[in-house]
mmCIF file of all heavy atoms in Angstrom:
data_model
loop_
_atom_site.group_PDB
_atom_site.id
_atom_site.type_symbol
_atom_site.label_atom_id
_atom_site.label_comp_id
_atom_site.label_asym_id
_atom_site.label_seq_id
_atom_site.Cartn_x
_atom_site.Cartn_y
_atom_site.Cartn_z
ATOM 1 N N GLY A 12 -2.721 25.709 73.411
ATOM 2 C CA GLY A 12 -1.907 24.561 73.096
ATOM 3 C C GLY A 12 -2.399 23.896 71.872
ATOM 4 O O GLY A 12 -3.546 23.515 71.797
ATOM 5 N N GLN A 13 -1.543 23.754 70.877
ATOM 6 C CA GLN A 13 -1.906 23.192 69.576
ATOM 7 C C GLN A 13 -2.142 21.732 69.675
ATOM 8 O O GLN A 13 -1.321 20.998 70.149
ATOM 9 C CB GLN A 13 -0.851 23.496 68.517
ATOM 10 C CG GLN A 13 -1.234 23.154 67.091
ATOM 11 C CD GLN A 13 -2.466 23.846 66.606
ATOM 12 O OE1 GLN A 13 -2.495 25.117 66.625
ATOM 13 N NE2 GLN A 13 -3.466 23.149 66.145
ATOM 14 N N VAL A 14 -3.280 21.248 69.096
ATOM 15 C CA VAL A 14 -3.552 19.799 68.978
ATOM 16 C C VAL A 14 -3.196 19.393 67.540
ATOM 17 O O VAL A 14 -3.554 20.063 66.590
ATOM 18 C CB VAL A 14 -5.025 19.482 69.243
ATOM 19 C CG1 VAL A 14 -5.341 18.085 68.993
ATOM 20 C CG2 VAL A 14 -5.374 19.824 70.730
ATOM 21 N N LEU A 15 -2.518 18.265 67.457
ATOM 22 C CA LEU A 15 -2.104 17.671 66.164
ATOM 23 C C LEU A 15 -2.511 16.248 66.150
ATOM 24 O O LEU A 15 -2.455 15.541 67.181
ATOM 25 C CB LEU A 15 -0.627 17.775 65.928
ATOM 26 C CG LEU A 15 -0.085 19.192 65.926
ATOM 27 C CD1 LEU A 15 0.802 19.449 67.139
ATOM 28 C CD2 LEU A 15 0.647 19.505 64.654
ATOM 29 N N ARG A 16 -2.962 15.700 64.942
ATOM 30 C CA ARG A 16 -3.489 14.363 64.901
ATOM 31 C C ARG A 16 -3.320 13.676 63.541
ATOM 32 O O ARG A 16 -3.229 14.499 62.549
ATOM 33 C CB ARG A 16 -4.955 14.276 65.366
ATOM 34 C CG ARG A 16 -5.882 14.980 64.399
ATOM 35 C CD ARG A 16 -7.317 14.964 64.937
ATOM 36 N NE ARG A 16 -7.560 15.996 65.925
ATOM 37 C CZ ARG A 16 -8.015 15.744 67.184
ATOM 38 N NH1 ARG A 16 -8.284 14.530 67.565
ATOM 39 N NH2 ARG A 16 -8.126 16.716 68.052
ATOM 40 N N LEU A 17 -3.286 12.414 63.570
ATOM 41 C CA LEU A 17 -3.382 11.655 62.366
ATOM 42 C C LEU A 17 -4.756 10.970 62.305
ATOM 43 O O LEU A 17 -5.282 10.698 63.347
ATOM 44 C CB LEU A 17 -2.264 10.531 62.254
ATOM 45 C CG LEU A 17 -0.921 10.962 61.844
ATOM 46 C CD1 LEU A 17 0.001 9.694 61.971
ATOM 47 C CD2 LEU A 17 -0.874 11.552 60.524
ATOM 48 N N PRO A 18 -5.343 10.746 61.152
ATOM 49 C CA PRO A 18 -6.605 10.108 61.103
ATOM 50 C C PRO A 18 -6.529 8.594 61.461
ATOM 51 O O PRO A 18 -5.443 8.033 61.413
ATOM 52 C CB PRO A 18 -7.026 10.231 59.655
ATOM 53 C CG PRO A 18 -5.773 10.349 58.871
ATOM 54 C CD PRO A 18 -4.825 11.097 59.779
ATOM 55 N N ALA A 19 -7.612 8.084 61.918
ATOM 56 C CA ALA A 19 -7.658 6.646 62.235
ATOM 57 C C ALA A 19 -8.029 5.816 60.989
ATOM 58 O O ALA A 19 -7.790 4.625 60.906
ATOM 59 C CB ALA A 19 -8.618 6.376 63.359
ATOM 60 N N TRP A 20 -8.575 6.511 59.992
ATOM 61 C CA TRP A 20 -9.027 5.871 58.775
ATOM 62 C C TRP A 20 -9.027 6.846 57.625
ATOM 63 O O TRP A 20 -8.821 8.049 57.889
ATOM 64 C CB TRP A 20 -10.434 5.272 58.898
ATOM 65 C CG TRP A 20 -11.465 6.269 59.066
ATOM 66 C CD1 TRP A 20 -11.841 6.918 60.220
ATOM 67 C CD2 TRP A 20 -12.287 6.861 57.990
ATOM 68 N NE1 TRP A 20 -12.856 7.839 59.959
ATOM 69 C CE2 TRP A 20 -13.130 7.790 58.640
ATOM 70 C CE3 TRP A 20 -12.386 6.666 56.675
ATOM 71 C CZ2 TRP A 20 -13.990 8.588 57.903
ATOM 72 C CZ3 TRP A 20 -13.277 7.431 55.916
ATOM 73 C CH2 TRP A 20 -14.138 8.330 56.568
ATOM 74 N N ILE A 21 -9.091 6.389 56.383
ATOM 75 C CA ILE A 21 -9.144 7.308 55.239
ATOM 76 C C ILE A 21 -10.249 6.917 54.313
ATOM 77 O O ILE A 21 -10.719 5.778 54.319
ATOM 78 C CB ILE A 21 -7.792 7.253 54.379
ATOM 79 C CG1 ILE A 21 -7.459 5.879 53.957
ATOM 80 C CG2 ILE A 21 -6.676 7.806 55.235
ATOM 81 C CD1 ILE A 21 -6.259 5.779 53.017
ATOM 82 N N PRO A 22 -10.841 7.927 53.570
ATOM 83 C CA PRO A 22 -11.957 7.576 52.702
ATOM 84 C C PRO A 22 -11.520 6.491 51.692
ATOM 85 O O PRO A 22 -10.396 6.481 51.193
ATOM 86 C CB PRO A 22 -12.177 8.910 51.978
ATOM 87 C CG PRO A 22 -11.744 9.938 52.934
ATOM 88 C CD PRO A 22 -10.518 9.353 53.629
ATOM 89 N N GLY A 23 -12.447 5.570 51.358
ATOM 90 C CA GLY A 23 -12.178 4.550 50.435
ATOM 91 C C GLY A 23 -11.614 3.295 51.072
ATOM 92 O O GLY A 23 -11.508 2.262 50.452
ATOM 93 N N SER A 24 -11.252 3.418 52.355
ATOM 94 C CA SER A 24 -10.652 2.304 53.101
ATOM 95 C C SER A 24 -11.368 2.272 54.413
ATOM 96 O O SER A 24 -10.978 3.005 55.329
ATOM 97 C CB SER A 24 -9.149 2.475 53.265
ATOM 98 O OG SER A 24 -8.572 1.396 54.004
ATOM 99 N N TYR A 25 -12.340 1.455 54.583
ATOM 100 C CA TYR A 25 -13.276 1.606 55.661
ATOM 101 C C TYR A 25 -12.942 0.724 56.828
ATOM 102 O O TYR A 25 -13.802 0.216 57.577
ATOM 103 C CB TYR A 25 -14.700 1.374 55.193
ATOM 104 C CG TYR A 25 -15.071 2.428 54.234
ATOM 105 C CD1 TYR A 25 -15.095 2.152 52.811
ATOM 106 C CD2 TYR A 25 -15.301 3.724 54.594
ATOM 107 C CE1 TYR A 25 -15.389 3.149 51.877
ATOM 108 C CE2 TYR A 25 -15.570 4.703 53.678
ATOM 109 C CZ TYR A 25 -15.569 4.410 52.332
ATOM 110 O OH TYR A 25 -15.876 5.440 51.464
ATOM 111 N N MET A 26 -11.629 0.485 57.028
ATOM 112 C CA MET A 26 -11.155 -0.152 58.184
ATOM 113 C C MET A 26 -10.394 0.809 59.079
ATOM 114 O O MET A 26 -9.837 1.802 58.533
ATOM 115 C CB MET A 26 -10.149 -1.292 57.866
ATOM 116 C CG MET A 26 -10.863 -2.477 57.160
ATOM 117 S SD MET A 26 -9.664 -3.737 56.631
ATOM 118 C CE MET A 26 -8.777 -4.077 58.142
ATOM 119 N N VAL A 27 -10.369 0.676 60.353
ATOM 120 C CA VAL A 27 -9.551 1.492 61.176
ATOM 121 C C VAL A 27 -8.121 1.185 60.956
ATOM 122 O O VAL A 27 -7.666 -0.010 61.033
ATOM 123 C CB VAL A 27 -9.936 1.303 62.710
ATOM 124 C CG1 VAL A 27 -8.997 2.089 63.613
ATOM 125 C CG2 VAL A 27 -11.375 1.734 62.936
ATOM 126 N N ARG A 28 -7.310 2.176 60.694
ATOM 127 C CA ARG A 28 -5.900 1.935 60.235
ATOM 128 C C ARG A 28 -4.915 2.327 61.379
ATOM 129 O O ARG A 28 -3.842 1.828 61.383
ATOM 130 C CB ARG A 28 -5.595 2.807 59.019
ATOM 131 C CG ARG A 28 -6.431 2.435 57.816
ATOM 132 C CD ARG A 28 -5.990 1.139 57.228
ATOM 133 N NE ARG A 28 -6.959 0.743 56.267
ATOM 134 C CZ ARG A 28 -7.013 -0.510 55.762
ATOM 135 N NH1 ARG A 28 -6.111 -1.442 56.177
ATOM 136 N NH2 ARG A 28 -7.818 -0.811 54.818
ATOM 137 N N GLU A 29 -5.307 3.214 62.283
ATOM 138 C CA GLU A 29 -4.435 3.676 63.308
ATOM 139 C C GLU A 29 -3.049 4.035 62.821
ATOM 140 O O GLU A 29 -2.006 3.455 63.328
ATOM 141 C CB GLU A 29 -4.357 2.582 64.442
ATOM 142 C CG GLU A 29 -5.680 2.227 65.098
ATOM 143 C CD GLU A 29 -6.330 3.375 65.865
ATOM 144 O OE1 GLU A 29 -5.686 4.415 66.079
ATOM 145 O OE2 GLU A 29 -7.478 3.235 66.247
ATOM 146 N N PHE A 30 -2.931 4.982 61.925
ATOM 147 C CA PHE A 30 -1.623 5.440 61.395
ATOM 148 C C PHE A 30 -0.708 5.934 62.480
ATOM 149 O O PHE A 30 0.518 5.763 62.311
ATOM 150 C CB PHE A 30 -1.794 6.508 60.368
ATOM 151 C CG PHE A 30 -2.635 6.070 59.174
ATOM 152 C CD1 PHE A 30 -3.827 6.631 58.831
ATOM 153 C CD2 PHE A 30 -2.108 5.039 58.254
ATOM 154 C CE1 PHE A 30 -4.532 6.154 57.706
ATOM 155 C CE2 PHE A 30 -2.818 4.631 57.182
ATOM 156 C CZ PHE A 30 -4.088 5.179 56.900
ATOM 157 N N ALA A 31 -1.140 6.501 63.502
ATOM 158 C CA ALA A 31 -0.280 7.065 64.613
ATOM 159 C C ALA A 31 0.506 5.972 65.242
ATOM 160 O O ALA A 31 1.600 6.332 65.823
ATOM 161 C CB ALA A 31 -1.145 7.764 65.629
ATOM 162 N N ARG A 32 0.190 4.720 65.142
ATOM 163 C CA ARG A 32 0.971 3.704 65.798
ATOM 164 C C ARG A 32 2.390 3.551 65.129
ATOM 165 O O ARG A 32 3.276 2.977 65.667
ATOM 166 C CB ARG A 32 0.278 2.310 65.793
ATOM 167 C CG ARG A 32 0.092 1.739 64.428
ATOM 168 C CD ARG A 32 -0.801 0.517 64.502
ATOM 169 N NE ARG A 32 -1.324 0.138 63.221
ATOM 170 C CZ ARG A 32 -0.787 -0.842 62.453
ATOM 171 N NH1 ARG A 32 0.166 -1.548 62.849
ATOM 172 N NH2 ARG A 32 -1.309 -1.050 61.229
ATOM 173 N N HIS A 33 2.508 4.132 63.896
ATOM 174 C CA HIS A 33 3.813 4.103 63.230
ATOM 175 C C HIS A 33 4.742 5.244 63.590
ATOM 176 O O HIS A 33 5.826 5.340 63.088
ATOM 177 C CB HIS A 33 3.545 4.082 61.727
ATOM 178 C CG HIS A 33 2.793 2.831 61.280
ATOM 179 N ND1 HIS A 33 3.339 1.576 61.424
ATOM 180 C CD2 HIS A 33 1.586 2.717 60.765
ATOM 181 C CE1 HIS A 33 2.434 0.670 60.957
ATOM 182 N NE2 HIS A 33 1.351 1.373 60.601
ATOM 183 N N ILE A 34 4.252 6.221 64.389
ATOM 184 C CA ILE A 34 5.103 7.260 64.889
ATOM 185 C C ILE A 34 5.938 6.668 66.040
ATOM 186 O O ILE A 34 5.375 6.258 67.030
ATOM 187 C CB ILE A 34 4.311 8.509 65.400
ATOM 188 C CG1 ILE A 34 3.625 9.152 64.166
ATOM 189 C CG2 ILE A 34 5.242 9.472 66.036
ATOM 190 C CD1 ILE A 34 2.790 10.352 64.493
ATOM 191 N N VAL A 35 7.245 6.551 65.827
ATOM 192 C CA VAL A 35 8.097 5.951 66.786
ATOM 193 C C VAL A 35 8.834 6.892 67.693
ATOM 194 O O VAL A 35 9.381 6.427 68.733
ATOM 195 C CB VAL A 35 9.133 4.966 66.088
ATOM 196 C CG1 VAL A 35 8.368 3.809 65.360
ATOM 197 C CG2 VAL A 35 9.981 5.660 65.102
ATOM 198 N N GLN A 36 8.852 8.157 67.342
ATOM 199 C CA GLN A 36 9.486 9.191 68.176
ATOM 200 C C GLN A 36 8.871 10.480 67.809
ATOM 201 O O GLN A 36 8.601 10.789 66.597
ATOM 202 C CB GLN A 36 10.999 9.187 67.917
ATOM 203 C CG GLN A 36 11.853 10.074 68.844
ATOM 204 C CD GLN A 36 11.826 11.546 68.398
ATOM 205 O OE1 GLN A 36 11.663 11.880 67.212
ATOM 206 N NE2 GLN A 36 12.009 12.424 69.341
ATOM 207 N N ILE A 37 8.571 11.370 68.817
ATOM 208 C CA ILE A 37 8.023 12.652 68.537
ATOM 209 C C ILE A 37 8.480 13.656 69.573
ATOM 210 O O ILE A 37 8.664 13.317 70.800
ATOM 211 C CB ILE A 37 6.460 12.570 68.544
ATOM 212 C CG1 ILE A 37 5.817 13.941 68.090
ATOM 213 C CG2 ILE A 37 5.895 12.085 69.875
ATOM 214 C CD1 ILE A 37 4.331 13.812 67.770
ATOM 215 N N SER A 38 8.785 14.866 69.150
ATOM 216 C CA SER A 38 9.186 15.928 70.058
ATOM 217 C C SER A 38 8.739 17.240 69.491
ATOM 218 O O SER A 38 8.444 17.365 68.314
ATOM 219 C CB SER A 38 10.689 15.930 70.315
ATOM 220 O OG SER A 38 11.337 16.167 69.074
ATOM 221 N N ALA A 39 8.655 18.240 70.372
ATOM 222 C CA ALA A 39 8.222 19.576 69.935
ATOM 223 C C ALA A 39 9.137 20.651 70.534
ATOM 224 O O ALA A 39 9.811 20.417 71.567
ATOM 225 C CB ALA A 39 6.788 19.838 70.382
ATOM 226 N N SER A 40 9.153 21.792 69.783
ATOM 227 C CA SER A 40 10.019 22.906 70.270
ATOM 228 C C SER A 40 9.409 24.206 69.745
ATOM 229 O O SER A 40 8.617 24.233 68.818
ATOM 230 C CB SER A 40 11.474 22.774 69.783
ATOM 231 O OG SER A 40 11.533 22.771 68.360
ATOM 232 N N SER A 41 9.835 25.285 70.482
ATOM 233 C CA SER A 41 9.461 26.617 69.986
ATOM 234 C C SER A 41 10.694 27.443 70.200
ATOM 235 O O SER A 41 11.238 27.577 71.315
ATOM 236 C CB SER A 41 8.303 27.150 70.871
ATOM 237 O OG SER A 41 7.960 28.452 70.407
ATOM 238 N N GLY A 42 11.262 27.971 69.146
ATOM 239 C CA GLY A 42 12.595 28.597 69.170
ATOM 240 C C GLY A 42 13.584 27.492 69.506
ATOM 241 O O GLY A 42 13.618 26.424 68.914
ATOM 242 N N LYS A 43 14.371 27.708 70.558
ATOM 243 C CA LYS A 43 15.395 26.676 71.026
ATOM 244 C C LYS A 43 14.903 25.921 72.227
ATOM 245 O O LYS A 43 15.591 25.168 72.781
ATOM 246 C CB LYS A 43 16.741 27.341 71.223
ATOM 247 C CG LYS A 43 17.315 27.889 69.929
ATOM 248 C CD LYS A 43 18.696 28.421 70.147
ATOM 249 C CE LYS A 43 19.298 28.915 68.857
ATOM 250 N NZ LYS A 43 20.622 29.373 68.895
ATOM 251 N N LYS A 44 13.617 26.143 72.638
ATOM 252 C CA LYS A 44 13.132 25.555 73.845
ATOM 253 C C LYS A 44 12.296 24.340 73.520
ATOM 254 O O LYS A 44 11.415 24.393 72.637
ATOM 255 C CB LYS A 44 12.326 26.573 74.675
ATOM 256 C CG LYS A 44 13.187 27.690 75.192
ATOM 257 C CD LYS A 44 12.286 28.564 76.050
ATOM 258 C CE LYS A 44 13.150 29.708 76.606
ATOM 259 N NZ LYS A 44 12.342 30.628 77.417
ATOM 260 N N ALA A 45 12.483 23.249 74.353
ATOM 261 C CA ALA A 45 11.618 22.097 74.180
ATOM 262 C C ALA A 45 10.237 22.428 74.703
ATOM 263 O O ALA A 45 10.042 23.218 75.598
ATOM 264 C CB ALA A 45 12.192 20.949 74.954
ATOM 265 N N VAL A 46 9.258 21.822 74.051
ATOM 266 C CA VAL A 46 7.819 22.025 74.391
ATOM 267 C C VAL A 46 7.269 20.695 74.746
ATOM 268 O O VAL A 46 7.445 19.690 74.003
ATOM 269 C CB VAL A 46 7.068 22.649 73.291
ATOM 270 C CG1 VAL A 46 5.573 22.706 73.546
ATOM 271 C CG2 VAL A 46 7.637 24.070 72.906
ATOM 272 N N ALA A 47 6.541 20.641 75.888
ATOM 273 C CA ALA A 47 5.930 19.357 76.290
ATOM 274 C C ALA A 47 4.745 18.994 75.364
ATOM 275 O O ALA A 47 3.989 19.769 74.946
ATOM 276 C CB ALA A 47 5.337 19.515 77.745
ATOM 277 N N LEU A 48 4.748 17.675 75.073
ATOM 278 C CA LEU A 48 3.566 17.094 74.278
ATOM 279 C C LEU A 48 2.826 16.146 75.244
ATOM 280 O O LEU A 48 3.434 15.352 75.862
ATOM 281 C CB LEU A 48 4.111 16.354 73.090
ATOM 282 C CG LEU A 48 4.615 17.117 71.882
ATOM 283 C CD1 LEU A 48 5.238 16.211 70.861
ATOM 284 C CD2 LEU A 48 3.506 17.978 71.242
ATOM 285 N N THR A 49 1.529 16.262 75.108
ATOM 286 C CA THR A 49 0.698 15.324 75.886
ATOM 287 C C THR A 49 -0.121 14.511 74.840
ATOM 288 O O THR A 49 -0.774 15.027 73.955
ATOM 289 C CB THR A 49 -0.328 16.080 76.759
ATOM 290 O OG1 THR A 49 0.425 16.877 77.700
ATOM 291 C CG2 THR A 49 -1.138 15.154 77.559
ATOM 292 N N LYS A 50 -0.025 13.168 75.022
ATOM 293 C CA LYS A 50 -0.808 12.273 74.110
ATOM 294 C C LYS A 50 -2.230 12.225 74.671
ATOM 295 O O LYS A 50 -2.531 11.897 75.789
ATOM 296 C CB LYS A 50 -0.221 10.877 74.106
ATOM 297 C CG LYS A 50 -0.826 10.043 73.009
ATOM 298 C CD LYS A 50 0.085 8.937 72.587
ATOM 299 C CE LYS A 50 -0.575 8.328 71.385
ATOM 300 N NZ LYS A 50 0.200 7.318 70.780
ATOM 301 N N LEU A 51 -3.187 12.699 73.774
ATOM 302 C CA LEU A 51 -4.589 12.729 74.178
ATOM 303 C C LEU A 51 -5.331 11.489 74.043
ATOM 304 O O LEU A 51 -6.235 11.155 74.791
ATOM 305 C CB LEU A 51 -5.255 13.884 73.391
ATOM 306 C CG LEU A 51 -4.660 15.291 73.561
ATOM 307 C CD1 LEU A 51 -5.407 16.280 72.629
ATOM 308 C CD2 LEU A 51 -4.740 15.769 75.007
ATOM 309 N N ASP A 52 -4.977 10.791 72.959
ATOM 310 C CA ASP A 52 -5.612 9.484 72.694
ATOM 311 C C ASP A 52 -4.669 8.741 71.669
ATOM 312 O O ASP A 52 -3.515 9.129 71.515
ATOM 313 C CB ASP A 52 -7.030 9.633 72.099
ATOM 314 C CG ASP A 52 -7.101 10.570 70.926
ATOM 315 O OD1 ASP A 52 -6.109 10.581 70.135
ATOM 316 O OD2 ASP A 52 -8.086 11.266 70.743
ATOM 317 N N LYS A 53 -5.183 7.701 70.978
ATOM 318 C CA LYS A 53 -4.293 6.909 70.135
ATOM 319 C C LYS A 53 -3.660 7.689 69.045
ATOM 320 O O LYS A 53 -2.673 7.291 68.524
ATOM 321 C CB LYS A 53 -5.128 5.749 69.546
ATOM 322 C CG LYS A 53 -5.432 4.648 70.542
ATOM 323 C CD LYS A 53 -6.094 3.525 69.732
ATOM 324 C CE LYS A 53 -6.509 2.429 70.629
ATOM 325 N NZ LYS A 53 -7.218 1.330 69.910
#
């Protein structure tokens, strides 16, 4: 099962940014079939 992630911070900006909070909708598929996604952390 593939893990995908956004960083919580970027070099040169040393604050936690939590970019993933801006993802407002997410879905996955393989071929024409929906694939379940499990949120592992923030």
Side-chain angles (χ1 to χ4, degrees):
Q13 185 64 53
V14 174
L15 299 113
R16 67 183 79 239
L17 281 177
W20 66 278
I21 58 174
S24 178
Y25 299 103
M26 292 177 52
V27 174
R28 299 288 172 192
E29 299 296 351
F30 296 117
R32 68 188 163 99
H33 298 294
I34 293 180
V35 296
Q36 187 277 333
I37 187 168
S38 62
S40 62
S41 183
K43 295 184 179 186
K44 294 183 180 180
V46 173
L48 284 173
T49 302
K50 191 157 187 176
L51 301 176
D52 54 34
K53 288 182 180 181

